[in-house]
Amino acid sequence: MLKVQNLTVAYSDTPVFADVAVNFNAGKITGIIGPNGAGKSTLIKAMLGLIKSQTGTVSFNGHALKQFQKQIAYVEQRKDLDLTFPISVFDVVLTGTYGKLGLFRQPSKADRQRCLVALKQVDLVEFANRQIGQLSGGQLQRVFVARAILQDAQLIILDEPFVGIDLQSETAIMAILHQWRDEGKTIIVVHHDLNKVSHYFDDLVILNHGIVDYGPVDDVYTPANIERTFSADLSAVLFAKGGAQ
Ligand code: ADP
Ligand code: MG
């Protein structure tokens, strides 16, 4: 279990959230939802130690999360990625083996073979030599999923992976997330499309400058929670009889 306790983050003087406590279960896909600017990306980055937190501890199976660096796959929100870096799809995916390679060891033939297998799994073999800046949103997300496959990460965190991607890529990625879930991995997805929440996630965290609620999706994804976090109008649309859920 990934356990966050007492986590407080502020950029300069402005607090984003204070004393956040939340758990993420292994063998579950947990969605994080909340309005723009609610602190979703900040929560992820603070959990991973990528930004400084004022207070708090984050543990994974009872040990500090930072001891598990090599077992974490994290894909930033697309707007934060530097896509001008000249690197091919194949080489990005191959970096998934780095955690397991010894210092100065070159990837082996077997690593390169595994890389191809992962690319096949996400249907990107023909794009292996393409620069990452020249991919569609869906292809790019699939590259990162292939990288996580190679990494064999235990904790997979994706920040808004489905923004601006095609439905086929979204479906393919969800299928792989389900497979990982069934293998007992811990999967966290920051998500913005409320329509698919109950369809995609086992557990749900609602964040709005603090935890509004978290737990099994059926308990948390309720009209009352959506109304107080987003708006009564949105809640009415989402939970209208016969409406999308
Ligand atoms: P979300 O991912 O939920 O949209 P963020 O975590 O990106 O929200 O941002 C939470 C709040 O922190 C917002 O008000 C945002 O403007 C602010 N913020 C995010 N990153 C920074 C930063 N690097 N410096 C200062 N403020 C930031
Ligand atoms: Mg964000």
Side-chain angles (χ1 to χ4, degrees):
M1 181 188 277
L2 176 64
K3 201 173 174 66
V4 176
Q5 288 169 295
N6 196 32
L7 192 66
T8 300
V9 177
Y11 294 108
S12 59
D13 294 343
T14 326
V16 180
F17 46 73
D19 289 334
V20 158
V22 62
N23 295 332
F24 298 92
N25 292 308
K28 303 276 185 203
I29 305 177
T30 302
I32 301 180
I33 60 169
N36 267 330
K40 303 180 295 295
S41 299
T42 300
L43 173 64
I44 300 296
K45 288 178 189 163
M47 287 187 337
L48 294 173
L50 299 172
I51 57 172
K52 202 167 124 340
S53 44
Q54 274 64 38
T55 65
T57 56
V58 183
S59 66
F60 191 55
N61 300 334
H63 302 278
L65 184 63
K66 54 176 182 289
Q67 295 176 21
F68 295 88
Q69 293 290 3
K70 290 175 186 169
Q71 297 179 39
I72 303 170
Y74 164 57
V75 183
E76 282 182 273
Q77 234 172 315
R78 186 167 186 202
K79 67 178 173 60
D80 295 335
L81 292 166
D82 177 8
L83 298 172
T84 61
F85 193 75
I87 184 168
S88 70
V89 164
F90 190 86
D91 286 340
V92 169
V93 176
L94 200 58
T95 61
T97 63
Y98 285 8
K100 297 199 168 61
L101 294 177
L103 201 55
F104 304 126
R105 226 198 84 205
Q106 291 290 322
S108 64
K109 211 169 166 185
D111 288 329
R112 303 181 76 84
Q113 193 55 41
R114 286 177 59 224
C115 190
L116 263 181
V117 170
L119 281 173
K120 215 172 268 172
Q121 244 181 297
V122 297
D123 201 18
L124 280 181
V125 173
E126 66 207 270
F127 294 91
N129 296 318
R130 180 90 56 106
Q131 298 289 302
I132 55 155
Q134 293 163 12
L135 297 173
S136 73
Q139 289 162 345
L140 187 70
Q141 287 297 334
R142 284 185 280 143
V143 169
F144 291 120
V145 167
R147 183 181 183 280
I149 290 174
L150 225 64
Q151 201 180 345
D152 195 23
Q154 284 306 308
L155 172 60
I156 297 113
I157 304 181
L158 308 175
D159 195 343
E160 302 214 18
F162 302 137
V163 169
I165 85 170
D166 57 291
L167 191 60
Q168 206 179 343
S169 293
E170 185 168 330
T171 309
I173 291 170
M174 274 316 294
I176 293 171
L177 297 189
H178 282 132
Q179 190 185 322
W180 280 336
R181 175 194 54 197
D182 296 343
E183 292 168 5
K185 298 178 186 232
T186 307
I187 302 146
I188 301 173
V189 181
V190 176
H191 193 63
H192 80 296
D193 178 4
L194 298 184
N195 283 300
K196 292 173 180 163
V197 164
S198 46
H199 184 56
Y200 276 1
F201 305 123
D202 306 305
D203 291 340
L204 188 67
V205 175
I206 304 184
L207 191 75
N208 195 8
H209 299 284
I211 300 289
V212 175
D213 200 2
Y214 79 93
V217 70
D218 290 342
D219 298 344
V220 173
Y221 188 64
T222 60
N225 273 340
I226 297 307
E227 185 171 333
R228 70 182 167 128
T229 311
F230 296 90
S231 71
D233 287 350
L234 187 57
S235 173
V237 170
L238 288 168
F239 292 93
K241 224 178 154 70
Q245 279 196 39

